[in-house]
Amino acid sequence: MEFKIASVVLLGLSLTACGKAPEQSKTTETQPQSASTASNPAMEVSKDYHSFANPEQIKVTHLDLDLDVDFSQHIISGDATIQFQRIEPNASTLILDTRDLSIERVTAMGQDIPFTLADADPHLGAALSIEVPAKVEAVTVSYHTSPQASGVQWLTPEQTAGKQQPFLFTQAQAIHARSFIPLQDSPQVRVTYQATVRTPAELLAVMSASNDPATERDGEYHFSMPQPIPSYLIALAVGDLAFKPMGERTGVYAEPSMLEAAAKEFEDTEAMLNVTEKKFGKYRWDRYDLLILPPSFPFGGMENPRLSFITPTVIAGDKSLVSLIAHELAHSWSGNTVTNATWRDLWLNEGFTTYLTYRIMEMIYGPEREQMEFVLGQQSLQADIASLPAADQMLAIDLRGRDPDDVFSDIPYEKGALFARELEQKVGRDAFDKFLMGYFEHFAFQSITTDQFIAYLNDTLLKEHAEKLDAQRIQQWIFEPGVPEGAPMAHSDAFTKVDAARDNWLAGELKAEQIDTANWNTHQWLHFLNNMPESLSQAQMTELDNAFALTQVGNNEIAHSWLLMSVNNWYEPAFSRLHDYLVHIGRNKLVKPLYQALSKTEKGKAFAKQAFTEAKPGYHPLTVKANEGYVE
Ligand code: BES
Ligand code: ZN
């Protein structure tokens, strides 16, 4: 059998996945359910191809975790008591997902019961099959994690802001929960959970659950998540954490030295929560807190319910990067309340969340800022469309045989949001807001497929606005590559003068120092730099640097754009900053494009190798995996 290698860019993660090459796009009249060929058999749209679990027979409903966190061995150990429901009354085997877990025993009502751990699949881990006696409704799995667990990062004190205490955090999305808890690791299985977590007494544990800000810091912590959530939203962090309220329902956890700056930067979180709830329906998760992680956190943010995990690299001092908070908050509706049923449906989470992010930014910071962010988002989408194979440009993407992390390009995010924006523009904002509110209500606490979404859309918006919407075009958005012609276009007046300045400077009509940048904001700087020609002369790079001190810029996103230009133009004066940046930041979206650009030349590769070797002990396993190929 022949395999093709597909390499996909995802939020800065590039994973090379092994699998059958997906078919090219079908015409609109072909439903995806029936798309099948000899090499690519029919897909069952509601099947999760990334889990071995059998929820259609026995479905897990609740988890009770009793865990010890051992920083000296880098191991989490304890018991997971798993309650389940028999969907098929005679089913007798419960199948769970695991990855690199050691299973010590499985018991039911105090008695050992038989289990088998299958050989591991490289993407999916190993199925744990448990024979459950009749009438039994819960089993307890005693287990411990591997120090290399893909979903856990253990940090030494030196890798934290305070330098005194170690730190741990988990990152479960997409299929890493199974590396720290044996469970049915599929987004279509929703569980409530309770947990007791024991840590060194001086540290605080927090989870994606109820966190009592006033809890006594004694090394034993209790959590409860009463709403049913998919496994990828289970999260734990342990460290020297302090808490500061930002509003009635919002607050921030961070290492003490970061706390004030974080609370200031994100002080609009409460207002974001209030406006979102007003427009799109009630917030269903009680509190909304942020956890600021050390800089090795591999993502910008992660929407763990009640407690979003956030990179510190967005604390810019001027709120210029807080759309990240709007995004993670918006997931409380799209993602956490209504969840993608399989990783093929991820665009339902990320597309609607990205759409809501724009709406929140507009409500809090005004339309000018929203338009600037929309232009930047659209440019980034165009770049992805130019580089991705057609099959990976569909919203509903075929991921069979591939690592589900592959789905995370700008397609589910920005193309998904653009689709939502088009629906809004066609039916009008009020009607679309009403639709979204109804959608979140209708599917609350359910996990749905793309096809369920389309059926709901047909029954609601399409029926009510038959003259304004076209079912064929909706199929095109979801099942065809690229962006349909006539889609909404972004435009920002604030960028027009930036374009003029760049053009004049490139034409030699204006010196860099003559450009009036005094009132430029972060987005204007990003637009200025991101749209420079691929190649500039040393004199031009030097001129820009002398005029604007770009090598020293504090904002991590602007620094990223400048450093990328510096690599592409081999501008050596920026290289010591580049080294420092690569060693201190583990957020993949920021470092990966730099490694990728460096890897294009021999001398670049040598430089990258040196930085990577120094940085690797501090990188998250995902960041290591996504970048090691560039320095080989
Ligand atoms: N759910 C994602 C993070 C994620 C993506 C985890 C892929 C695992 C795999 C989160 O909500 C997200 O989208 N983060 C973005 C934020 C951005 C688009 C504002 C990030 O981390 O860059
Ligand atoms: Zn997201």
Side-chain angles (χ1 to χ4, degrees), residues 367-615:
E368 275 192 20
R369 173 147 178 190
E370 190 273 337
Q371 281 298 313
M372 285 189 275
E373 298 196 346
F374 181 28
V375 174
L376 294 173
Q378 204 160 41
Q379 287 174 356
S380 165
L381 173 62
Q382 286 312 327
D384 268 10
I385 287 177
S387 66
L388 287 169
D392 289 342
Q393 298 177 23
M394 329 292 188
L395 288 177
I397 188 174
D398 184 356
L399 286 174
R400 286 175 294 169
R402 300 160 76 185
D403 190 313
D405 287 346
D406 279 7
V407 85
F408 300 116
S409 72
D410 262 328
I411 299 296
Y413 288 79
E414 296 292 345
K415 182 177 170 183
L418 204 58
F419 171 45
R421 193 185 287 259
E422 177 172 298
L423 293 175
E424 179 215 302
Q425 291 184 357
K426 294 222 153 130
V427 302
R429 186 166 272 193
D430 287 348
F432 192 60
D433 287 356
K434 189 173 136 247
F435 163 77
L436 280 180
M437 199 190 264
Y439 166 67
F440 296 135
E441 178 69 37
H442 185 81
F443 290 115
F445 301 113
Q446 293 183 46
S447 303
I448 65 164
T449 62
T450 297
D451 302 75
Q452 280 173 283
F453 170 78
I454 295 173
Y456 181 76
L457 194 67
N458 284 340
D459 277 352
T460 55
L461 212 57
L462 236 93
K463 259 205 189 115
E464 290 154 29
H465 301 273
E467 72 297 347
K468 298 181 187 146
L469 296 172
D470 169 6
Q472 283 276 86
R473 188 167 168 93
I474 289 167
Q475 292 280 320
Q476 186 187 353
W477 269 104
I478 298 173
F479 300 113
E480 293 201 26
V483 164
E485 227 170 285
M489 288 288 289
H491 172 80
S492 156
D493 288 335
F495 284 176
T496 309
K497 56 184 178 213
V498 174
D499 288 327
R502 189 192 319 98
D503 288 349
N504 290 341
W505 177 70
L506 286 168
E509 288 157 11
L510 194 68
K511 294 224 174 314
E513 61 188 26
Q514 293 171 317
I515 303 175
D516 182 11
T517 60
N519 295 318
W520 280 12
N521 59 31
T522 294
H523 303 90
Q524 288 172 301
W525 278 110
L526 289 172
H527 184 68
F528 181 67
L529 297 175
N530 291 351
N531 294 286
M532 284 288 175
E534 222 151 85
S535 141
L536 290 181
S537 69
Q538 290 299 302
Q540 286 175 310
M541 290 296 290
T542 308
E543 190 189 340
L544 289 175
D545 205 8
N546 287 345
F548 309 125
L550 288 164
T551 296
Q552 277 78 46
V553 69
N555 185 293
N556 286 310
E557 294 269 1
I558 301 176
H560 170 85
S561 295
W562 174 246
L563 292 173
L564 195 56
M565 284 172 67
S566 299
V567 173
N568 289 334
N569 293 294
W570 203 258
Y571 175 66
E572 286 189 9
F575 277 32
S576 107
R577 171 82 195 270
L578 173 62
H579 181 89
D580 194 59
Y581 191 93
L582 292 172
V583 171
H584 288 104
I585 295 180
R587 182 180 171 192
N588 222 349
K589 181 184 153 199
L590 297 180
V591 299
K592 193 214 140 211
L594 297 170
Y595 279 118
Q596 187 179 29
L598 282 164
S599 73
K600 289 181 185 152
T601 63
E602 276 313 309
K603 57 186 179 173
K605 209 175 226 186
F607 182 92
K609 198 169 189 159
Q610 218 181 1
F612 187 81
T613 308
E614 201 177 314

Side-chain angles (χ1 to χ4, degrees), residues 345-380:
D345 311 303
L346 180 89
W347 74 275
L348 292 174
N349 278 15
E350 297 300 346
F352 284 100
T353 290
T354 303
Y355 171 80
L356 293 184
T357 306
Y358 286 126
R359 295 290 303 278
I360 296 170
M361 293 307 286
E362 185 184 274
M363 289 189 278
I364 302 290
Y365 302 102
E368 275 192 20
R369 173 147 178 190
E370 190 273 337
Q371 281 298 313
M372 285 189 275
E373 298 196 346
F374 181 28
V375 174
L376 294 173
Q378 204 160 41
Q379 287 174 356
S380 165

Side-chain angles (χ1 to χ4, degrees), residues 11 171 173 299-301 303 324 327-328 331 350 408 413:
L11 284 180
Q171 165 58 42
Q173 197 183 13
F299 293 104
E303 66 270 28
L324 176 77
H327 180 99
E328 303 314 334
H331 271 306
E350 297 300 346
F408 300 116
Y413 288 79

Side-chain angles (χ1 to χ4, degrees), residues 106 208 213:
V106 182
S208 55

Side-chain angles (χ1 to χ4, degrees), residues 23 69 132 151 155 187 216 226 285 289 349 411 450 475 560 610:
E23 288 295 292
V69 175
V132 286
L155 299 176
E216 195 188 338
W285 305 91
D289 295 318
N349 278 15
I411 299 296
T450 297
Q475 292 280 320
H560 170 85
Q610 218 181 1

